Amino acid sequence: MLDTRFKGFAYGAIAAASYGLNPLFTLPLYSAGMDPDSVLFYRYGIAVVMLFALMLVQRQSFALRKAEILPLVMMGIMFSFSSLTLFMSYNYMDAGIASTILFAYPVLVAVIMAVFFKERLSFVTMFSIALAFTGILMLYRGEGGQTLSLPGVVLVFVSSLTYAIYIVGVNRSSLRDMPTVKLTFYAVLFGMGVYLVRLRFGAALQPIPSAELWLNPIGMALFPTLVSLIFMTKSIHYIGSTPAAILGALEPITALVIGVTVFGEALTPRIVFGIVLILTAVMLVVAGKPLMHAIRVRLPHR
């Protein structure tokens, strides 16, 4: 049981850190003049090819039961819209700020689970959410008096909501027992349809401007898509939707590390304090359920 929980939290942490790499690969393509739909089409298309090859190597069946098709289509659309609205928000605000606001999704997961699935929120879970959210706010490095773009905020909120629905849907549908790679393959495949439609079935697709820039969509397909989705699905299967979502607090930390190591940004005491709060929240989530069991408090059902 302990080994299973450890795996769940480890997978959730890897998923969150991988998804936090989005700006690293996206912003150079934007600087080259590409639009979000084209960038995401390449990201999803390359990911589909990678997943297809992985399924062949693992000799997994591509067959689907009729009851699985509609949930897969819906989950693919949810994840795709989450990506699209997040990438669109980068045109209205700094990617780091967008990643900060995106962290609303663990709160939305907890609310969805409580409202629609009657999951009781333990004190540890609520306190962890509050602590992690406070830490995220400490990482916000906007200059004093700066007003955030309303369209950008709305886009990130929609991204948070659709990602929250994806997380809950994977755990509370007929997809729960589907092999992880197979689920990810079909979610990405159906999600790519969103960009096909928006790009007029390829007529509006922009080419990658140079050979070296191809590393960016390949990186996006591998880390924020392939690695993030596979490990998030594994985490949800092991520990449930809400704890897996709270581990998403590691996403902005990934962005911070990239800023310091790649772009030479400085660490301030406030940022360090924010990191400490977030890591404390993550450790509370990891220890929370055994702790509550020890004091005989009924935990949320998952």
Side-chain angles (χ1 to χ4, degrees):
M1 177 64 179
L2 182 60
D3 183 58
T4 297
R5 284 178 53 76
F6 175 79
K7 286 182 180 178
F9 288 114
Y11 291 153
I14 293 171
S18 300
Y19 197 74
L21 294 174
N22 265 317
L24 179 66
F25 299 114
T26 306
L27 298 182
L29 295 173
Y30 281 9
S31 297
M34 296 189 66
D35 59 58
D37 289 288
S38 293
V39 169
L40 285 164
F41 177 83
Y42 287 112
R43 169 189 172 182
Y44 275 56
I46 294 170
V48 165
V49 173
M50 290 179 176
L51 286 162
F52 182 81
L54 184 57
M55 287 185 68
L56 288 178
V57 169
Q58 295 180 345
R59 298 187 177 183
Q60 287 198 34
S61 170
F62 288 87
L64 293 175
R65 292 184 288 111
K66 187 178 294 186
E68 295 171 335
I69 296 175
L70 182 58
L72 279 171
V73 171
M74 294 303 298
M75 291 306 99
I77 291 174
M78 288 298 104
F79 189 78
S80 187
F81 269 107
S82 178
S83 300
L84 178 61
T85 48
L86 177 64
F87 277 40
M88 290 173 67
S89 75
Y90 292 165
N91 291 321
Y92 293 92
M93 62 175 68
D94 291 344
I97 298 175
S99 297
T100 299
I101 301 172
L102 182 67
F103 185 67
Y105 77 79
V107 179
L108 297 175
V109 167
V111 170
I112 291 171
M113 295 298 292
V115 171
F116 294 100
F117 299 98
K118 310 305 179 186
E119 179 180 277
R120 189 198 304 183
L121 296 180
S122 70
F123 172 78
V124 171
T125 298
M126 291 187 291
F127 182 70
S128 298
I129 290 172
L131 197 64
F133 194 71
T134 302
I136 295 295
L137 292 178
M138 298 295 292
L139 297 184
Y140 171 62
R141 289 166 288 174
E143 299 299 326
Q146 179 176 323
T147 302
L148 294 179
S149 162
L150 180 59
V153 171
V154 171
L155 285 168
V156 180
F157 179 80
V158 173
S159 179
S160 297
L161 178 60
T162 48
Y163 191 47
I165 294 172
Y166 172 84
I167 290 173
V168 174
V170 167
N171 192 41
R172 295 286 177 165
S173 70
S174 58
L175 306 179
R176 181 182 178 94
D177 298 320
M178 180 178 288
T180 301
V181 174
K182 182 176 180 178
L183 188 157
T184 307
F185 170 75
Y186 280 109
V188 174
L189 179 64
F190 290 134
M192 190 170 64
V194 171
Y195 309 115
L196 275 173
V197 172
R198 288 179 56 85
L199 290 167
R200 303 199 302 274
F201 296 92
L205 179 65
Q206 295 175 311
I208 303 291
S210 63
E212 60 269 19
L213 281 176
W214 271 99
L215 292 175
N216 291 278
I218 292 172
M220 276 191 289
L222 181 59
F223 294 106
T225 309
L226 207 71
V227 173
S228 179
L229 271 176
I230 289 175
F231 280 90
M232 175 57 78
T233 303
K234 284 181 174 289
S235 177
I236 291 169
H237 286 172
Y238 279 122
I239 60 175
S241 300
T242 303
I246 296 173
L247 287 168
L250 297 174
E251 290 173 19
I253 292 181
T254 303
L256 174 67
V257 171
I258 290 171
V260 172
T261 58
V262 178
F263 301 109
E265 297 176 355
L267 278 175
T268 66
R270 177 164 51 87
I271 293 171
V272 172
F273 184 57
I275 293 173
V276 171
L277 288 179
I278 293 169
L279 293 179
T280 301
V282 172
M283 286 187 289
L284 279 175
V285 174
V286 172
K289 287 191 175 181
L291 175 64
M292 297 304 279
H293 262 307
I295 60 177
R296 298 175 182 238
V297 174
R298 182 178 180 273
L299 290 171
H301 175 71
R302 68 172 177 86

